[in-house]
Amino acid sequence: MTITLERMDTRMTDSRAIEAFEELEVPEGFKAELLWGEIVMMAGPDLVHNRIVTKVMDQLSPDKWERVQNQDVAILAETSEPVPDLVVMALEDAPESGRLMPSEQVRLAVEVVSKTSVHRDHVTKRALYAAGRIPAYLIIDPLRGECVLLTEPTGKGEQADYRVERKAWFGDTMPVDPLGVKLDTSGFQTLPVSPPEQ
């Protein structure tokens, strides 16, 4: 199915959005998300991005945690199917199969910021994951060299947020209390920041 630009610019707040998203043919090398009724498509990530996701995964015990990259998460009450860079759930909560993971089963969502996802990761998904009651959201920003852990979701819809925010610079240890883990960020690389265009 082809989505015209006119349809992509208009928020769809009912089942039409989910239907259009489910039928969307995403070109190879891209991924698509449904965020607040808008279809967002992006190119594949940078190598630095992938290395950071791997370093986080390696610090979470596979004996205790199901760690899945690029898993579709269902927040259907918010007309959303985001695809976090990493989804962490308790082994006992992990389903056997399926494309959509209910947000209630996610213990931690991780997003690694790219040059094109700064607002989406820091603002849009912050509210969305809080609305979906994901208990912890970790934003890893290689542009700033900073990690932000958000916990205790509150509120509804686009006004939802997290009550607690903890920050750590790359190189510092980031306690991820909801998982009982101290994340070593010393191996996280930063991305070069392009000078502003004149």
Side-chain angles (χ1 to χ4, degrees):
M1 174 179 191
T2 303
I3 306 293
T4 64
L5 289 176
E6 182 181 330
R7 273 188 81 185
M8 287 181 72
D9 289 341
T10 304
R11 278 196 182 187
M12 297 176 280
T13 56
D14 55 23
S15 62
R16 292 181 311 133
I18 295 170
E19 209 174 289
F21 183 70
E22 298 291 333
E23 295 178 16
L24 183 67
E25 292 184 31
V26 180
E28 189 172 331
F30 287 82
K31 77 174 186 179
E33 298 178 292
L34 181 63
L35 305 175
W36 303 112
E38 293 181 314
I39 296 172
V40 179
M41 196 174 302
M42 63 219 76
D46 186 275
L47 182 57
V48 167
H49 173 284
N50 290 336
R51 286 179 178 149
I52 290 172
V53 173
T54 300
K55 288 180 185 304
V56 172
M57 283 181 60
D58 289 348
Q59 295 181 60
L60 302 174
S61 171
D63 295 331
K64 186 172 183 181
W65 303 108
E66 180 78 35
R67 309 148 313 147
V68 184
Q69 293 182 53
N70 298 310
Q71 175 64 51
D72 296 15
V73 174
I75 309 178
L76 300 180
E78 304 299 335
T79 318
S80 297
E81 293 182 19
V83 185
D85 295 321
L86 181 65
V87 170
V88 180
M89 47 208 139
L91 282 180
E92 62 271 12
D93 293 340
E96 290 295 317
S97 64
R99 184 185 70 77
L100 280 172
M101 171 70 53
S103 62
E104 298 80 15
Q105 293 177 317
V106 177
R107 298 282 180 94
L108 172 70
V110 179
E111 296 287 1
V112 178
V113 177
S114 69
K115 292 174 185 176
T116 60
S117 73
V118 175
H119 185 269
R120 188 169 49 247
D121 291 341
H122 281 283
V123 178
T124 305
K125 289 187 175 182
R126 178 180 178 141
L128 181 60
Y129 294 158
R133 294 295 179 258
I134 294 176
Y137 174 34
L138 178 62
I139 305 167
I140 302 174
D141 191 335
L143 299 169
R144 296 180 184 170
E146 178 182 60
C147 297
V148 180
L149 178 66
L150 302 163
T151 57
E152 298 184 25
T154 185
K156 294 182 180 185
E158 293 183 58
Q159 304 309 309
D161 200 357
Y162 286 91
R163 286 189 181 114
V164 179
E165 178 178 303
R166 172 182 254 160
K167 294 183 178 184
W169 295 108
F170 284 11
D172 295 340
T173 299
M174 169 55 92
V176 183
D177 296 336
L179 302 185
V181 172
K182 292 185 187 291
L183 197 61
D184 176 9
T185 67
S186 62
F188 293 2
Q189 293 174 262
T190 57
L191 287 168
V193 179
S194 303
E197 291 186 27
Q198 298 185 9

XYZ file of all heavy atoms in Angstrom, residues 124-168:
351
model
N 8.896 13.352 21.926
C 7.742 12.552 21.487
C 7.679 11.214 22.206
O 6.644 10.847 22.774
C 7.803 12.328 19.964
O 7.907 13.594 19.310
C 6.578 11.584 19.466
N 8.778 10.467 22.189
C 8.753 9.126 22.800
C 8.749 9.188 24.324
O 8.244 8.276 24.968
C 9.896 8.290 22.264
C 9.659 7.897 20.813
C 10.697 6.931 20.316
C 10.367 6.469 18.904
N 11.345 5.480 18.426
N 9.275 10.255 24.875
C 9.208 10.419 26.330
C 7.744 10.411 26.773
O 7.362 9.684 27.690
C 9.892 11.724 26.728
C 9.845 12.011 28.211
C 10.548 13.318 28.546
N 10.464 13.601 29.961
C 11.448 14.114 30.681
N 12.597 14.426 30.113
N 11.292 14.335 31.964
N 6.924 11.213 26.128
C 5.497 11.260 26.471
C 4.803 9.952 26.094
O 3.983 9.436 26.856
C 4.826 12.434 25.764
N 5.136 9.406 24.931
C 4.479 8.192 24.462
C 4.758 7.000 25.376
O 3.841 6.271 25.758
C 4.932 7.876 23.029
C 4.307 6.645 22.397
C 2.794 6.781 22.313
C 4.901 6.431 21.005
N 6.012 6.786 25.741
C 6.346 5.653 26.613
C 5.745 5.833 28.004
O 5.322 4.864 28.641
C 7.854 5.443 26.688
C 8.474 5.005 25.371
C 9.818 5.194 25.115
C 7.718 4.397 24.378
C 10.396 4.789 23.915
C 8.277 3.996 23.175
C 9.615 4.195 22.950
O 10.181 3.787 21.767
N 5.684 7.078 28.487
C 5.027 7.332 29.771
C 3.535 7.021 29.665
O 2.953 6.386 30.551
C 5.252 8.775 30.211
N 2.901 7.438 28.565
C 1.473 7.152 28.356
C 1.230 5.646 28.269
O 0.192 5.157 28.713
C 0.975 7.840 27.093
N 2.183 4.918 27.709
C 2.078 3.463 27.601
C 2.464 2.733 28.875
O 2.495 1.511 28.927
N 2.799 3.505 29.923
C 3.142 2.976 31.243
C 4.381 2.074 31.221
O 4.488 1.124 32.000
C 1.965 2.250 31.898
C 0.812 3.166 32.246
C 1.269 4.152 33.315
N 0.249 5.100 33.709
C 0.198 6.370 33.290
N 1.085 6.831 32.427
N -0.720 7.188 33.724
N 5.320 2.377 30.341
C 6.606 1.669 30.363
C 7.369 2.225 31.557
O 7.617 3.429 31.627
C 7.361 1.859 29.027
C 6.561 1.171 27.907
C 8.781 1.321 29.131
C 7.124 1.361 26.518
N 7.729 1.371 32.541
C 8.262 1.863 33.812
C 9.577 2.637 33.714
O 9.850 3.499 34.543
C 8.459 0.604 34.652
C 7.856 -0.513 33.904
C 7.564 -0.065 32.517
N 10.399 2.321 32.713
C 11.689 3.009 32.591
C 12.017 3.221 31.116
O 11.826 2.330 30.290
C 12.781 2.196 33.266
N 12.509 4.420 30.831
C 12.903 4.798 29.464
C 14.309 5.371 29.536
O 14.555 6.358 30.235
C 11.911 5.813 28.901
C 12.272 6.412 27.555
C 12.942 5.684 26.575
C 11.926 7.722 27.255
C 13.259 6.236 25.346
C 12.228 8.294 26.019
C 12.904 7.538 25.076
O 13.217 8.094 23.855
N 15.240 4.750 28.819
C 16.635 5.182 28.798
C 16.944 5.795 27.440
O 16.835 5.135 26.412
C 17.565 3.997 29.066
C 19.067 4.285 29.033
C 19.458 5.301 30.112
C 19.848 2.982 29.208
N 17.309 7.072 27.467
C 17.714 7.785 26.262
C 19.233 7.881 26.287
O 19.806 8.434 27.236
C 17.114 9.208 26.213
C 15.595 9.172 26.339
C 17.548 9.924 24.932
C 14.975 10.535 26.612
N 19.871 7.332 25.277
C 21.326 7.405 25.167
C 21.623 8.336 24.002
O 21.245 8.055 22.869
C 21.938 6.007 24.956
C 21.542 5.086 26.116
C 23.456 6.117 24.823
C 21.967 3.647 25.951
N 22.288 9.444 24.307
C 22.492 10.504 23.320
C 23.973 10.653 22.965
O 24.715 11.347 23.669
C 21.928 11.817 23.858
C 21.845 12.898 22.800
O 22.610 12.831 21.820
O 21.014 13.812 22.958
N 24.422 10.017 21.870
C 25.827 10.125 21.481
C 26.190 11.485 20.879
O 27.366 11.760 20.654
C 26.012 9.000 20.460
C 24.659 8.697 19.953
C 23.690 9.077 21.029
N 25.212 12.338 20.641
C 25.506 13.703 20.191
C 25.951 14.558 21.377
O 26.827 15.410 21.249
C 24.274 14.325 19.526
C 23.770 13.593 18.280
C 22.405 14.114 17.866
C 24.754 13.739 17.138
N 25.349 14.318 22.533
C 25.680 15.057 23.759
C 26.656 14.293 24.660
O 27.182 14.862 25.615
C 24.416 15.330 24.569
C 23.414 16.221 23.909
C 22.214 16.405 24.826
N 21.179 17.176 24.186
C 19.966 17.323 24.687
N 19.635 16.765 25.827
N 19.073 18.045 24.047
N 26.794 12.974 24.425
C 27.611 12.155 25.323
C 26.939 11.976 26.667
O 27.582 11.990 27.714
N 25.616 11.764 26.635
C 24.817 11.749 27.855
C 23.757 10.651 27.819
O 23.204 10.343 26.776
C 24.132 13.120 27.982
C 23.228 13.276 29.163
C 22.552 14.642 29.171
O 21.824 14.957 28.201
O 22.743 15.372 30.152
N 23.474 10.105 29.002
C 22.366 9.157 29.181
C 21.331 9.807 30.091
O 21.691 10.486 31.053
C 22.844 7.877 29.853
S 24.042 6.934 28.914
N 20.052 9.572 29.789
C 18.958 10.079 30.614
C 18.043 8.891 30.914
O 17.511 8.265 29.999
C 18.147 11.181 29.885
C 17.012 11.677 30.770
C 19.051 12.328 29.453
N 17.884 8.584 32.195
C 16.975 7.518 32.614
C 15.730 8.158 33.199
O 15.809 8.965 34.134
C 17.625 6.607 33.652
C 16.720 5.480 34.172
C 16.392 4.478 33.072
C 17.348 4.783 35.365
N 14.585 7.800 32.643
C 13.292 8.317 33.095
C 12.512 7.178 33.740
O 12.404 6.095 33.161
C 12.528 8.893 31.907
C 13.263 10.004 31.156
C 12.657 10.227 29.781
C 13.261 11.281 31.964
N 11.950 7.435 34.927
C 11.170 6.405 35.622
C 9.909 7.035 36.240
O 9.775 8.245 36.310
C 12.003 5.729 36.738
O 12.462 6.716 37.651
C 13.189 4.963 36.155
N 9.017 6.195 36.683
C 7.747 6.570 37.313
C 6.842 7.350 36.363
O 6.619 8.554 36.531
C 7.994 7.354 38.606
C 8.731 6.559 39.656
C 8.877 7.309 40.972
O 8.047 8.207 41.266
O 9.814 6.982 41.716
N 6.287 6.652 35.359
C 5.396 7.329 34.409
C 4.121 7.836 35.081
O 3.603 7.214 36.004
C 5.080 6.235 33.384
C 5.348 4.943 34.085
C 6.416 5.221 35.095
N 3.647 8.975 34.571
C 2.437 9.578 35.102
C 1.711 10.318 33.983
O 2.323 10.693 32.981
C 2.757 10.544 36.266
O 1.537 11.018 36.832
C 3.606 11.714 35.814
N 0.423 10.532 34.139
C -0.350 11.303 33.167
C -0.868 10.456 32.020
O -0.648 9.251 31.964
N -1.560 11.154 31.090
C -2.181 10.464 29.959
C -1.895 11.205 28.669
O -1.675 12.415 28.661
C -3.691 10.377 30.162
C -4.100 9.503 31.319
C -5.600 9.419 31.445
C -5.942 8.526 32.643
N -7.350 8.300 32.751
N -1.965 10.456 27.574
C -1.835 11.044 26.250
C -0.532 11.808 26.085
O 0.485 11.483 26.686
N -0.579 12.857 25.266
C 0.630 13.624 24.961
C 1.110 14.455 26.144
O 2.205 15.018 26.092
C 0.386 14.500 23.730
C 0.198 13.652 22.475
C 0.018 14.476 21.223
O 0.921 15.284 20.922
O -1.014 14.305 20.552
N 0.323 14.516 27.220
C 0.738 15.232 28.436
C 1.440 14.304 29.420
O 1.928 14.761 30.459
C -0.485 15.872 29.112
C -1.274 16.799 28.211
C -0.406 17.833 27.517
O 0.370 18.527 28.147
N -0.533 17.927 26.201
N 1.510 13.014 29.117
C 2.169 12.055 30.013
C 3.663 12.368 30.093
O 4.242 12.949 29.176
C 1.948 10.634 29.526
N 4.262 12.006 31.209
C 5.694 12.235 31.405
C 6.183 11.284 32.491
O 5.413 10.493 33.034
C 5.943 13.694 31.816
C 7.382 14.142 31.566
O 8.223 13.331 31.130
O 7.675 15.331 31.814
N 7.441 11.394 32.806
C 8.043 10.622 33.883
C 8.351 11.564 35.041
O 8.804 12.692 34.837
C 9.331 9.946 33.395
C 9.066 8.775 32.478
C 8.998 8.948 31.108
C 8.886 7.495 32.996
C 8.747 7.866 30.257
C 8.641 6.411 32.157
C 8.569 6.604 30.802
O 8.322 5.538 29.973
N 8.099 11.094 36.271
C 8.340 11.918 37.458
C 9.827 12.058 37.774
O 10.259 13.081 38.293
C 7.647 11.289 38.671
C 6.171 11.438 38.680
C 5.607 10.977 40.029
N 4.163 11.094 40.015
C 3.325 10.068 40.073
N 3.790 8.841 40.177
N 2.034 10.266 40.027
N 10.592 10.999 37.505
C 12.001 10.981 37.916
C 12.901 10.966 36.689
O 12.688 10.179 35.754
C 12.298 9.745 38.809
C 13.765 9.701 39.211
C 11.395 9.740 40.031
N 13.905 11.842 36.703
C 14.886 11.931 35.618
C 16.280 11.898 36.224
O 16.598 12.675 37.117
C 14.688 13.237 34.847
C 15.675 13.446 33.728
C 15.412 14.732 32.956
O 14.279 14.900 32.436
O 16.331 15.561 32.880
N 17.096 10.972 35.738
C 18.479 10.859 36.213
C 19.395 10.932 35.001
O 19.121 10.280 33.992
C 18.659 9.540 36.949
C 20.099 9.241 37.300
C 20.233 7.910 37.991
N 20.473 8.193 39.394
C 20.268 7.339 40.364
N 19.792 6.142 40.115
N 20.541 7.657 41.607
N 20.474 11.706 35.107
C 21.402 11.872 33.983
C 22.800 11.405 34.355
O 23.208 11.483 35.519
C 21.471 13.346 33.562
C 20.181 13.876 32.985
C 20.339 15.314 32.521
C 19.043 15.812 31.891
N 19.189 17.168 31.349
N 23.521 10.941 33.330
C 24.925 10.563 33.499
C 25.659 10.833 32.194
O 25.110 10.611 31.111
C 25.050 9.082 33.868
